[in-house]
Amino acid sequence: MNHLEELEAQSIYILREAYKHFGKLGMLWSVGKDSTVMLWLAQKAFFGQCPFPLIHVDTSYKIPEMIEFRDKLIKEQNLNLIVHQNKQALEEGMNPEKGRLVCCEHLKTRPLQSVVKVFEFEGLILGVRRDEEGSRSKERVFSERDSDSNWDYTDQPPELWDQFKTDFKKGNHIRIHPLLQWREVDIWKYIQWENIPVVSLYFSKNGKRYRSLGCYPCTFPVESNVTDIQGIIEELENTRQTERSGRAQDQEDAYAMQKLRSKGYM
Amino acid sequence: MTELTVQTREKLNIVAVGHVDHGKSTLIGRLLYDTNSLSDGAIEKVRHISEQNGKPFEYAYLLDAFEEEQKQGITIDTTNINFSTDKRDYIIIDAPGHKEFLKNMISGASSAEAALLMIDAQEGIQEQSRRHGYILSLLGIKKVFVIVNKMDLVNYSESVYNEIKENFDKFLSNLNIYPIEYIPVSAFNGENIIAKSEKLDWYRGVNIIEALDLIQKEPEPEDKPLRFAIQDVYKFDNRRIIAGRIEAGILKVGDEVTISPSGKRTKVKTIENWPTPYDKNLISAGMSVGITVEDEFFNKRGEVISHSQDKPQTSNLFNANIFWMGNKPMVKNKTYKLKLTTQEVQCEVFSINAVIDSSNLNASGSYNEVKKNEVAEITIKTREKICFDEFADFRGTGRFVIVDEFNVSGGGIVLKTDESLKNRVLDPKNTNFKPRPRLVSRNQKEARLQQQARVIWLTGLTGSGKNEIAIKLEKKLFELEKTVCYLDSANLRFGISSELEFSESGAYEQTRRIAEIANQFINNGIITIVTSISRYKKAREVAREIIGSDDYLEFHIEAAENVLKARSSKAMYELEGNSDSEMYYEKSEYPVYSLYIDDPEFNHDEKVDLIIDQIKNIL
């Protein structure tokens, strides 16, 4: 087996474990490259089905092409999508000018916490990867959150030999991370190999392309003339820029991601 | 997947372990720096954090991402870092060196194929150096480099290096770990990391990068017998797909397979795939797959599919080495959950056979419990039978975890267990003894005797001719130079079963005893003939369970009523009740061999030949 086949087999194994163990299960789909690959892997694991709903936390600040791509794919493939928004915070005028981390907390963390409560999810599948940033690199594949979605990252239980955490207190939930071992370049190689459709924002327009997608006030494209996947792979193999360098919330504080994620951020 | 058009590179997972402050994180930071694997600004960020925390520059901050880790200068949890050489890509796993974070060290190391075990040249071999060595051996990680770090603090002394090497070799050889090389380095100063160091001119071996590139990646165990653990069964459409991962071996369309522990047999019909049909007819170790089979009987998660001739062991009792990570000690008389591949069963500790302090290999005095961070040899008894293999032969099906309340609290590997203690094990009155390991296996004995041991169980009513067939069969097998034992149920009534009543309950106990005795014989490689009326279906089912359905060959000697009546005066009586019920017999629900006797003067040799014909594959 080559390296991509190994990653694929592992992710499918994880998705099937999640489906077997959690009656109430959902998959977070941000429309970005990672969670789009994850959706593809789910369809692969379940032979064309995605037997659980997709969840999109819509901050209302997403780049319009993302919403377009989202709605098109859902319609074409007849997928079950839950769109969740913190309407109250938006009505009260929440925006990044009130502080990027404050905005992330109100428009992303809180609606995510509430979607878990409303739908009583026991398991939530997320497309985070270890190579994205420090706090994610320390994640477990099956990672417990308490009833308020808090993550006790200083005392994580052991995880070995693909025996995952499936026993937990009622009211808590498990975050499942099938892509934890993938690297950014693996994602693109897999997209190329499997010919998976992705949103066009990743390809260069007017000398710029997005490397990581998020909300438009806090996400900035990188200089690039790359217009195809092979070009992206070559660019990644030669760059010294980090993937999330265009994501402004990460730069707010040395421990920004740890602080956000310990409270339930994706 | 479609044909390979994408360039993929080999990837190897390596873990860095060792005592706290012996320089694991520094070595990794240095490797990243020297191989140009750091992103822009990473070094500046580290410098900034070092200043913020009022500390000198620390490579470790590249890995210890948590605020708590950076402020306290310790590694709490394991981190994965990517870097590449010309040869391949690496994921290097930084494992914490504090004793209190051993569970995190194990979580990190369990996914590695090779290890760098760090020792501080100045401090020498410490508690976690040894403990981590022990854990590596339990995890089955044999490709180990010992890195003698901080050589700058001992003036790059060869004698310091030699002393560490000699002492640590003594310790590791007890664990069956033979390091590929001891590499002297100074991680902080970058000596002997990516290039030969002039300060270490006495050292002739490889540097770190050369060492990493030397490691041979383990191939998936395709050459082993098939083990396919069922993960789930899907019926999203008209297909009934059995999904799971191939732990070992290869499976092809059309293969005849056995599903353990039930023992059901079927054939592989299709290999399923999405979005395109599967374009090969074979699946192999490491793959997550889905298949359909020809007989759609009930399958469930936890069952193991194998080829019919090489099945996993099935038992409710086995010996294991475990390491305990739970805050509450592991004790007897408590129910835990055991997870092995996709099997989940309740289990208890049957006996604790040895408790070892993993930092010095000393046996602990008391065997009443296994405390956090201790290693032990125990015997585990599961509530239901499970399938497993010895870890030395099979990784995937030879290791398990134990869950206490909500958390995985122990990990273990399956050891060789006496083969007669398989299938069904009862509770002895005193649990202060353990099943003992043997030095000669049943397989070896069978090979010497040039036969495969089975129990040939002849059942049937009094007068059916069991005994006459059995003694001829024994003679025939003896003439064929087979080693054979004949257990005549009636003879047991004069000895081992002399206290039993001739009643229904007595008959049940008699059948159980003869099955247990026969089980001992076959596990010593001896073909064993049993004659027993065993008229009750349930009693024979118990015998079959004790012996194991593969080793139990049931021959029903069925005689017409007139034959029985004509012959019963001649037959040796074995009364089990009043004569009215003498004609009562319950047939088995599983397939058995049937020999029909319609002539009181039947030819015994003909019947023996029929039996020989059925068992010729074991002779």
Side-chain angles (χ1 to χ4, degrees):
Chain A
M1 285 168 85
N2 71 37
H3 171 54
L4 286 181
E5 288 171 311
E6 283 170 16
L7 287 172
E8 181 193 59
Q10 174 73 358
S11 298
I12 289 174
Y13 188 81
I14 293 164
L15 286 163
R16 287 176 176 168
E17 284 298 282
Y19 180 58
K20 184 71 203 177
H21 281 98
F22 304 117
K24 291 191 173 158
L25 180 67
M27 180 190 268
L28 224 57
W29 183 43
S30 73
V31 195
K33 62 186 190 311
D34 303 309
S35 52
T36 302
V37 162
M38 192 161 69
L39 170 59
W40 180 271
L41 287 165
Q43 290 169 312
K44 220 161 204 201
F46 307 108
F47 304 95
Q49 309 288 317
C50 181
F52 32 73
L54 301 174
I55 302 151
H56 187 226
V57 176
D58 190 350
T59 59
S60 83
Y61 291 105
K62 295 290 166 191
I63 307 170
E65 282 95 327
M66 293 172 72
I67 303 300
E68 225 172 84
F69 181 84
R70 178 190 81 187
D71 295 342
K72 186 167 157 267
L73 201 78
I74 291 295
K75 209 175 142 202
E76 275 174 11
Q77 305 199 8
N78 196 21
L79 294 160
N80 179 5
L81 176 76
I82 298 167
V83 178
H84 206 71
Q85 207 166 46
N86 188 350
K87 292 211 171 72
Q88 196 192 337
L90 285 168
E91 276 162 23
E92 287 165 15
M94 181 49 66
N95 70 65
E97 281 164 30
K98 307 215 169 187
R100 294 187 199 277
L101 297 184
V102 176
C103 184
C104 273
E105 194 192 327
H106 282 86
L107 297 186
K108 290 172 93 175
T109 311
R110 290 202 183 166
L112 186 55
Q113 288 165 350
S114 99
V115 89
V116 170
K117 286 211 166 135
V118 170
F119 291 90
E120 296 175 325
F121 283 123
E122 298 170 309
L124 209 55
I125 306 170
L126 289 89
V128 304
R129 304 190 332 265
R130 283 204 166 116
D131 74 333
E132 284 183 271
E133 51 86 29
S135 76
R136 287 181 175 128
S137 81
K138 304 223 171 205
E139 268 288 6
R140 300 283 193 261
V141 177
F142 277 46
S143 184
E144 190 174 10
R145 298 293 183 273
D146 73 8
S147 53
D148 295 318
S149 291
N150 292 315
W151 177 36
D152 183 7
Y153 56 87
T154 59
D155 188 22
Q156 301 195 75
E159 182 172 82
L160 62 157
W161 299 331
D162 288 345
Q163 297 294 357
F164 304 116
K165 185 169 176 69
T166 49
D167 301 275
F168 56 96
K169 238 192 251 163
K170 202 169 163 46
N172 291 7
H173 74 277
I174 301 287
R175 298 270 172 99
I176 299 122
H177 303 132
L179 301 181
L180 209 53
Q181 285 293 66
W182 293 58
R183 298 164 300 178
E184 188 185 8
V185 70
D186 299 325
I187 293 284
W188 283 110
K189 284 184 175 175
Y190 191 70
I191 288 170
Q192 185 181 38
W193 193 355
E194 292 281 292
N195 201 13
I196 304 170
V198 288
V199 63
S200 61
L201 293 163
Y202 288 112
F203 305 106
S204 177
K205 223 186 271 171
N206 306 322
K208 282 178 194 277
R209 73 172 194 92
Y210 285 92
R211 193 165 156 199
S212 173
L213 291 178
C215 301
Y216 57 79
C218 298
T219 308
F220 305 103
V222 296
E223 309 248 336
S224 170
N225 292 315
V226 164
T227 54
D228 64 358
I229 293 167
Q230 184 57 36
I232 292 177
I233 292 166
E234 281 163 22
E235 191 179 272
L236 291 178
E237 280 170 346
N238 294 302
T239 184
R240 292 172 61 87
Q241 292 290 326
T242 61
E243 179 182 6
R244 292 180 64 89
S245 57
R247 302 292 290 273
Q249 68 268 35
D250 291 36
Q251 274 71 46
E252 288 288 296
D253 177 319
Y255 308 109
M257 270 296 134
Q258 171 186 338
K259 284 174 182 164
L260 279 170
R261 299 193 70 251
S262 67
K263 288 194 223 158
Y265 186 86
M266 37 295 265
Chain B
M1 280 194 198
T2 50
E3 270 309 294
L4 180 71
T5 52
V6 184
Q7 292 288 316
T8 60
R9 282 163 61 84
E10 186 174 279
K11 193 193 75 179
L12 189 74
N13 288 9
I14 300 167
V15 66
V17 298
H19 199 75
V20 59
D21 281 340
H22 282 198
K24 296 173 293 295
S25 302
T26 306
L27 175 75
I28 298 169
R30 188 78 213 190
L31 269 172
L32 295 177
Y33 181 75
D34 287 351
T35 55
N36 249 333
S37 308
L38 292 170
S39 61
D40 278 355
I43 289 290
E44 282 67 44
K45 192 175 170 190
V46 168
R47 192 161 284 135
H48 180 70
I49 294 168
S50 306
E51 277 164 19
Q52 232 178 21
N53 292 332
K55 297 204 170 150
F57 182 84
E58 249 323 331
Y59 282 112
Y61 290 156
L62 289 168
L63 318 172
D64 295 336
F66 289 142
E67 186 171 7
E68 290 80 353
E69 294 178 313
Q70 298 185 345
K71 295 247 154 89
Q72 296 168 38
I74 54 166
T75 306
I76 294 174
D77 217 320
T78 175
T79 312
N80 281 18
I81 296 290
N82 298 289
F83 79 98
S84 307
T85 64
D86 290 340
K87 181 174 177 179
R88 63 182 159 208
D89 294 346
Y90 291 93
I91 287 188
I92 190 153
I93 302 155
D94 182 34
H98 276 80
K99 185 179 171 183
E100 62 178 303
F101 304 129
L102 191 72
K103 65 184 169 70
N104 297 337
M105 176 271 177
I106 289 168
S107 302
S110 66
S111 66
E113 212 173 282
L116 304 177
L117 207 170
M118 307 285 296
I119 293 179
D120 180 324
Q122 198 173 35
E123 271 196 41
I125 301 156
Q126 297 293 313
E127 188 184 331
Q128 305 314 315
S129 324
R130 287 185 288 256
R131 182 170 277 125
H132 286 186
Y134 203 147
I135 296 292
L136 292 180
S137 83
L138 285 176
L139 293 173
I141 300 172
K142 300 236 151 136
K143 294 163 189 167
V144 177
F145 285 96
V146 177
I147 313 300
V148 185
N149 187 28
K150 305 193 190 181
M151 288 300 290
D152 51 317
L153 301 183
V154 295
N155 294 318
Y156 299 94
S157 153
E158 186 178 3
S159 63
V160 170
Y161 164 89
N162 283 337
E163 199 189 323
I164 287 173
K165 184 174 173 183
E166 196 180 317
N167 289 331
F168 208 38
D169 257 346
K170 264 186 221 154
F171 177 82
L172 292 179
S173 62
N174 288 321
L175 305 171
N176 274 324
I177 290 185
Y178 301 94
I180 304 169
E181 178 77 277
Y182 283 72
I183 308 174
V185 305
S186 164
F188 190 78
N189 294 327
E191 299 292 340
N192 211 20
I193 307 293
I194 59 164
K196 190 165 170 52
S197 164
E198 282 172 22
K199 296 183 171 119
L200 293 159
D201 54 358
W202 48 265
Y203 172 71
R204 302 263 173 265
V206 288
N207 63 44
I208 300 271
I209 289 286
E210 288 168 339
L212 295 181
D213 281 347
L214 267 182
I215 298 166
Q216 294 268 341
K217 191 174 161 74
E218 197 80 43
E220 295 289 342
E222 288 177 7
D223 54 343
K224 301 249 171 179
L226 174 72
R227 297 289 183 266
F228 173 9
I230 299 180
Q231 199 176 2
D232 212 342
V233 179
Y234 302 130
K235 190 127 190 14
F236 295 119
D237 46 35
N238 56 2
R239 295 170 297 176
R240 193 170 162 285
I241 300 175
I242 299 174
R245 183 164 60 192
I246 313 260
E247 298 290 342
I250 285 176
L251 184 60
K252 295 193 190 92
V253 174
D255 279 4
E256 189 168 306
V257 292
T258 294
I259 300 166
S260 298
S262 72
K264 283 177 284 200
R265 291 182 183 205
T266 186
K267 268 186 182 171
V268 178
K269 195 158 82 182
T270 60
I271 298 169
E272 297 296 327
N273 193 48
W274 181 88
T276 51
Y278 198 64
D279 54 1
K280 299 182 200 93
N281 75 336
L282 157 163
I283 43 182
S284 59
M287 297 168 76
S288 287
V289 297
I291 61 167
T292 65
V293 292
E294 283 186 356
D295 304 280
E296 300 223 329
F297 33 63
F298 178 70
N299 299 114
K300 63 175 196 292
R301 177 180 167 91
E303 293 178 318
V304 180
I305 296 176
S306 69
H307 286 123
S308 302
Q309 68 278 16
D310 206 336
K311 285 175 287 193
Q313 286 190 56
T314 299
S315 176
N316 65 343
L317 188 96
F318 59 89
N319 287 337
N321 270 335
I322 61 146
F323 43 89
W324 193 249
M325 302 173 278
N327 289 326
K328 288 184 193 159
M330 183 182 217
V331 292
K332 289 195 218 173
N333 301 318
K334 180 175 171 182
T335 304
Y336 297 95
K337 186 198 274 186
L338 183 142
K339 294 164 92 173
L340 190 154
T341 58
T342 55
Q343 304 173 86
E344 281 185 26
V345 289
Q346 302 215 301
C347 76
E348 274 185 39
V349 182
F350 175 78
S351 62
I352 298 174
N353 311 325
V355 181
I356 297 142
D357 181 337
S358 56
S359 69
N360 54 24
L361 301 187
N362 288 342
S364 135
S366 141
Y367 291 175
N368 293 321
E369 59 178 24
V370 186
K371 291 194 278 289
K372 188 173 180 176
N373 297 338
E374 279 182 337
V375 172
E377 194 202 308
I378 62 170
T379 303
I380 290 177
K381 187 166 183 293
T382 55
R383 193 145 305 169
E384 294 127 49
K385 287 197 281 186
I386 61 163
C387 306
F388 56 84
D389 291 290
E390 197 188 333
F391 180 71
D393 298 330
F394 288 87
R395 293 207 154 198
T397 47
R399 60 195 184 188
F400 59 89
V401 298
I402 290 170
V403 179
D404 185 12
E405 292 170 2
F406 294 118
N407 286 334
V408 168
S409 297
I413 59 174
V414 178
L415 304 174
K416 209 178 210 47
T417 303
D418 187 332
E419 284 151 305
S420 68
L421 288 171
K422 61 175 190 183
N423 302 322
R424 196 182 85 141
V425 179
L426 305 179
D427 280 330
K429 297 291 179 206
N430 182 338
T431 58
N432 279 334
F433 62 87
K434 59 166 180 169
R436 299 193 178 114
R438 300 268 282 267
L439 296 175
V440 185
S441 73
R442 169 177 164 178
N443 276 345
Q444 288 171 305
K445 290 184 181 177
E446 288 179 331
R448 164 80 57 87
L449 298 172
Q450 298 191 341
Q451 63 187 28
Q452 287 174 52
R454 295 287 185 278
V455 175
I456 300 163
W457 189 282
L458 307 181
T459 164
L461 295 174
T462 307
S464 59
K466 301 183 297 292
N467 179 262
E468 289 126 299
I469 295 171
I471 56 175
K472 288 276 178 98
L473 177 63
E474 183 184 27
K475 183 159 179 280
K476 179 85 183 178
L477 289 169
F478 182 75
E479 284 163 3
L480 288 168
E481 300 189 347
K482 298 299 157 190
T483 304
V484 58
C485 162
Y486 172 34
L487 296 172
D488 182 350
S489 177
N491 283 348
L492 263 60
R493 291 287 191 176
F494 293 104
I496 199 167
S497 292
S498 64
E499 93 286 14
L500 289 182
E501 299 293 333
F502 284 81
S503 62
E504 182 172 340
S505 65
Y508 267 90
E509 178 58 16
Q510 167 77 340
T511 310
R512 186 187 75 81
R513 287 182 189 180
I514 202 163
E516 292 281 9
I517 297 165
N519 185 40
Q520 293 297 328
F521 277 105
I522 54 160
N523 282 293
N524 283 286
I526 298 164
I527 297 171
T528 306
I529 303 165
V530 169
T531 52
S532 161
I533 297 174
S534 44
R535 69 177 83 238
Y536 302 107
K537 188 173 75 182
K538 279 258 156 53
R540 291 194 308 278
E541 282 170 7
V542 169
R544 185 173 181 248
E545 195 190 345
I546 290 167
I547 294 161
S549 56
D550 299 331
D551 290 332
Y552 173 86
L553 308 174
E554 186 174 315
F555 288 83
H556 180 201
I557 317 296
E558 199 177 355
E561 204 174 317
N562 62 318
V563 176
L564 287 176
K565 284 192 173 141
R567 290 173 44 80
S568 57
S569 55
K570 282 199 273 172
M572 181 171 177
Y573 256 84
E574 193 189 335
L575 281 171
E576 286 171 357
N578 63 55
S579 52
D580 290 344
S581 62
E582 277 300 290
M583 288 298 168
Y584 181 72
Y585 188 89
E586 297 171 351
K587 289 200 173 184
S588 298
E589 282 169 11
Y590 46 83
V592 303
Y593 304 103
S594 217
L595 298 180
Y596 195 71
I597 315 289
D598 54 2
D599 175 2
E601 303 300 325
F602 74 97
N603 182 333
H604 306 148
D605 293 322
E606 264 176 30
K607 299 297 173 192
V608 167
D609 287 344
L610 284 173
I611 295 176
I612 293 285
D613 196 45
Q614 294 297 338
I615 63 170
K616 60 177 182 282
N617 62 319
I618 63 162
L619 302 176

